[in-house]
Structures are given as C-alpha cells and as structure tokens.
Amino acid sequence: MAPAEILNRKENSAQIRARLKNQVGNRDDSNLYIILYYTRVRSAATSRFRQYTEGVINAIAPEKDVDGLTSISAGKLARGDLNDCFIPCMPKGCLELMKETGVQIARRHAVVVGCSKIVRAPMCDLLLSNNATVTTCHSKTANLDEEVSKGDILVVATGRPEIVKGEWIKPGNSHQLKVVGDVAYDKARLMTVAMLMQSTVESAKRFLEKFKPGKWMIQYNNLNLKTPVPRIGLLSEEVELYGETKAKVLLSALECLKHQPDGKYQVVTGITPTPLGEGKSTTTIGLVQALLAHLYQNFFMCVRQPSQGPTFGIKGGAAGGGYSQVIPMEEFNLHLTGDIHAITVSNNLVAAAIDAQIFHELTQTDKAIFTHLVPSVNGVRKFSDIHIQRLNRLGIDKTDSTTLIDEEINRFARLDIDPETTAWQRVLNTNDRFLRKITIGQAPTKKSHTQTVHFDISVASEIMAVLALTTSLEDRRERLGKMVVASSKKGEPVSAEDLGMSGALIVLMKDTSKPNLMQRLEGTPVFVHAGPFANILVGPEGFVVTEAGFGADIGIEKFFNIKSQYSGLHPHVVVLVATVSALKMHRGGPMVTAGMPLPKAYIEENLELVEKGFSNLKKQTENAGMFGIPIVVAVNAFKTDTETELDLIGCLSREQRAFDAVKWGKGTLALAQAVQRAGQAPSSFQLLYDLKLPVEDKIRIIAQKIYGADNIELLLKVQHKAEVYTKQGFGNLPICMAKTHLSLSHNAERKGVPTGFVLTIRDIHASIGAGFLYPLPCFYDTDLDPETEQVNGLV
C-alpha cells in the first residue's frame, strides 16, 4: 500500500494492527511490520508536511520574519547582510552569550556540529561574519572526536544527547562548564524567548522608521508612469484599487492618524482670468511636483474631479498641462471612479421623489397615501425609524399606527408641497443648452400635471456641496436629510428627510466619501475628490495644496468664509496665479477667442499695458490679503512674455501686500521655495463678516469689499425670500455668491477694476444641507422694470 493511500485512510493504531495481523498472520515479526508501516506513514507525512511548511514560512513578509526562518532571511544572513535580516533565536542567543561572557570570536577556530537549517547553518554564517574559521560537522562525520577537539568554540545542535564526549573537548574549554544534552532547556528557553522579543522590538522599530508619520517612502520617477498608483505610507487594507492607475483611500486611515499634528494648508487661486484660463491647475500640479520630487518635502495636492461640461467644451479638462499633469488624464477628466455619477443619480432620485409626492397628493386620499407609506405586513402596519422621526418632527408622540386620528394621518401623509417653491432641479454631467428650461409631466398617466423645470450641471448639485463639506458618515446623513427641496403651502420648509430620502442617498453615495488617489507625471501622489481630504497626512512640516477657483473674488472669498468656517482649517499661504496676457487684457487689450491666434498685443512687449492692467492683480491681492494670510504671486510665464514684463509684475506685486512674486515657466522650484518661506511667516486669519448679520448686510459686505460695488439692490422677491429663510432659522448661514468669474463686477465684459456699479440680486436660494445661502446677481448691467422686476427678460 502506498504511503499516500495510508495517509488517506482514517484508521487508528488498533485498526492498523488488526489489519496487519490479517495480512501477516500471527507471526512473531508482526510488530516489525507495524513499525515498517508506521515508518512509511511518517516518512510520507513528513515529506508532505515539509512541503507545506516551506510554502507557509516563505509566505511570511521578510520584514515580519522575527524568527528568521524564510529563505529571504536565510539568504541575507548567508550574504552577511546582518542589519537587514532577522536571525533565528538559538544561534543569535549563542552569539549573545559569547559576547556577554567575553569569548573572543575573531581568528578563532569554531566547530559546529549538526545538520539543522535553523541552527547549524545560521550559526556558521554568524561565526563567519564575526571573522571566525568555521568547520561544520554532523553525526556521520568521520573522526568526529578529532574535529571537535580542534575547536576553540564548540556549538552542538544535533538533537542527540551526549553525542559529544567530555574528553573530546579541547583542553581548557570545559573548565567549570557542565557538558549536558543537546539543550539545557530551563536556561536556554529564557535565552531564546529574550532573543525572539529582541527581534520583535527590532521589527517594530524598523516599521516605525519606514512608515512613521512625516516620512513617505515614495520613489520619484523621472516623468515615467508608475503602476500601480504610488503608496504614501498607507496600509494595503486602507486602499481600494481601481485598476492599476487609480485607487480609493478608506476613511479608516484618518482614525489611525487622528492624533498626529496637522500640516500646513495652502490654497491656489488666480486673478480674473481670460476665457482660456491662466494655468491655475498647471501651477498647482507643478508646484507640488517641485516640493515633493525635488525639495523632498511632504506636500500633498487635493483637487476636485472636473465636470464633463468644460471637459467637452473649450477648456478640455483640468488635468494640468505640459509636464505638470495628473495622469492618466483621460481617467482624471472622465468617469474616474464614478463619484459624479453617484451624485447625479442621487440628485435625480430626490427630484423624482418630489414629483411623485406632489402627484400622489393631488390624485389620492390621505388614507390611500398612508396605506402606501405604511404597508401592512402580516396584517400589521408598523412604523419604520424614518416614520417615527417624522412623527417626532410633527410633534406626534405615537408609535402605534392604529392610534392616529384623521388629522394626524393627514399631517403625516401629506407634505403639501407648493410646486411653485420647488427649489430642487434635475442634473446631468453635460452642458445641454436645450435642457435649461423644459416642461415635464406630458405623459397621459400624469393627468395633465405638467411642470416647468430645468437641468443644472451635476457638480452644481447641493449634494456635491454636502460631499465637499461633510466630516463623517453621520454628519453626511444629517446634512443630506436637512436639504430643503421646497416649501409647503403654509411656508414651512420641506426637506429630503421629510421625503424619507436620506437613507437611500447614503447608500447611493456610499463610496464617494473615499478620496481618489492618482499621481502626476513624476510619480508624486494627488487626491482627487469633491473637496480637500484631511490635511493630517503630511505631518507637521508638510503642506496640503488645494485650489479655490478663479478669481480670488470668487474662489478665495468662498473658500475662507464657507469652507474654512466649517472645517476649522485655514490656509497658511495663498498662491495667486497671474499671466502677462491677462493683465494686458484687463487694460483694454483685444478680445481673446478660443481657437483663434492671440492678437499681436499679447505676443509683443508692451510694458504700458502690463502696468495699467496690474490694477486687477492689485485688487485680487488686496482681496486675498483681507483674510490675513501671506500671499505669493505666481507669474505663469509663456514663451511670448519678455523678461522685462515679468520683472515688472514681480516688482509691482512686492510693492503691494504680496509676500513674494515668482515667475515660473520651466519648472516651479523657485515658486516652491517661496511658498516654503511664506509658510513660516506669521498670519492672522480672519473672516470677512459675522454670520449673525442679516442676510442683506452679508451680501453687501461681499459686494463692496471684494467686488468694489457702490451698493447692492435686492428685488422684492429676494427680500421676501430672505425674510422667509430668516424666519425658518437659516439667516445665520454664510453666503455663496453665484457671480461670473470673468470680472470683478457682475458684468463679464467689464475688465480691470470696475467701480461705480450697483450689484442687483435677482434671486436667492438656500442649500441647507450644505449650509449656505446662494444669491444670484444679474449677469450684466441693465435697467430694472419696477413693475415686473424683469431684467433683460429674466424674472
């Protein structure tokens, strides 16, 4: 019978003995057959055990192999790399005892007796590394006594007691020593445990040195794509890979880092741009590449995923340009990991729920609606947690559905939404001008309940704002539930929680809180997300770099008064991007049209245009400076710019409130060094306005101090809505102005620093879940019709 067959048979020793007796009869040598069979079984089992054991041992990561058993550890030890491997406990303990007792090892003759791979081989390697001459013997060695007698140092590891006789030992070596069996267990076990603990501590030290906060083990490649995405000290269980070039980072990483000190915070913005942009994203990417791959500082970039609107428009994406790009740029600019898609679906689910609620309330009785909301299960109508919460908000202290009276059923089942107040619109991630205003409800099944609505771009959804400002899963659910989608006919706010939508939204957006990890051309990491990830990942000396949008009148003002307000984090440096061509345009330069060659004025030196156009950069510097943060002006240089023009901008910037002004074109090293210095400068962050001020006063402060307006004018309906929001308890929210970025004023055609204008506010909406009110100014200069309040056809 083959050993494998014996192994597969489930027999105990008595069964084997009985079967063997049947085979060999009652012969006296039956015990011999049993021994032979057991030997074959043991041999087969040992062979299989060794095969599996080697596989299991070598699966251990070398940095965790504190027993020194893997082939990698053995190989490093044999090669003499003692500082890069772990040593088996017994050989390590023997060496330690030799050193502790003053035994000289170098230039001595050592004899090691044994065949063990985990004692004999490592012991020989250790003795050789300590400059001893080593002879290896075993139980079958001829003239073993003679070989042993030559040894100044003797290590026996055969597993056989008293294999070495006392008279074999070289005279003088056994003085006052007791020659015992293979191991004096009571003493040796303490030594091996001590060696194992020492290796374990050493393993922990090496791990902390390699992965400790503030030190990233990143290999910066020379413009060569690294796959998979670069690791930044994150553990494998904290990263979800999406292919080879992108990943999501689990928020559990924050829990491990919550006790670490924050790094510094830097925001990149720009002057009022030309239609082609001034290179803010390119500056941000290049700046962080320089800080990481060339100055070897812990800098992290956090940017938002671009909308497909500009991606498929003139702009063509937001991955940067030249050698300063997020890669792969097509992944970055398009679907990435589906976060914007999740927001689109979530937003439109809320829109569908609103319309369904209005439709059912118009076509069904209270009891019919109640029956659908609280269905009967096995003859029992039981309230869910969401139902109980709604009853509590209504002040109905009941949990038994059968005890509700008709009036309570009416209040519970009907939201009584006023269709004219619906503030929630559908969204999609594409610019489609024919969906800006449409009529819905044309199907016969809708019974002529038509409604005029419009589509927004997906990233303009309040759900996107919630995602950017949320701090935890609990906070996100609360914010999503608080989103006001309409008002009742009594003027009371109707929220997403009233529709019972917050749970569904959380499920649809379950992965969106995890930031996306990508890289730049030089292999430096970047987070792509709706909003900045926590800036504790860079250590106290590191920086997180993010963007705030064009220009400082739009991006910086919102960044400080909304984002910093809620996060409690404020930047230590503001980088303000400018170009020569934009400054020329702000002082009467010809119009710039996408796809057309630049006019002559922008490709030839013209110091007068640059100096006059500097007024816009000066005003934007003042806007950023109002918040008490050091400002570095980054002049994005092009081949058509002259050194004289660039130097003029730098000189004028330093005369203002700029901490420094740096030109950059081929590389951003000088800019990176300036940002480092500015990060050490003192700052005194302050908000622009007190949240407790009336809504109109907060709008006026922004318009006058940031835009340069003389005053503001609110249409009557805006005044009324502001009063309603205040009564509903939303008056203390910050303001998110929806103004054009192409001018400091509300008129995109007015360049430079417009003055003497009145900012007319034509509407105002509330994003309660995100936590702000957003006024809508007119987009051009016009006269108001005092009776209809029409502005160029806009009501």
Side-chain angles (χ1 to χ4, degrees), residues 694-709:
V695 173
E696 183 174 352
D697 289 353
K698 288 184 282 194
I699 297 173
R700 180 176 289 107
I701 290 173
I702 296 173
Q704 291 180 333
K705 290 190 175 182
I706 301 296
Y707 308 154

Side-chain angles (χ1 to χ4, degrees), residues 29-44:
D29 57 354
S30 60
N31 285 337
L32 174 60
Y33 277 81
I34 293 175
I35 293 172
L36 289 175
Y37 267 81
Y38 272 120
T39 301
R40 295 173 69 186
V41 170
R42 181 180 177 186
S43 175

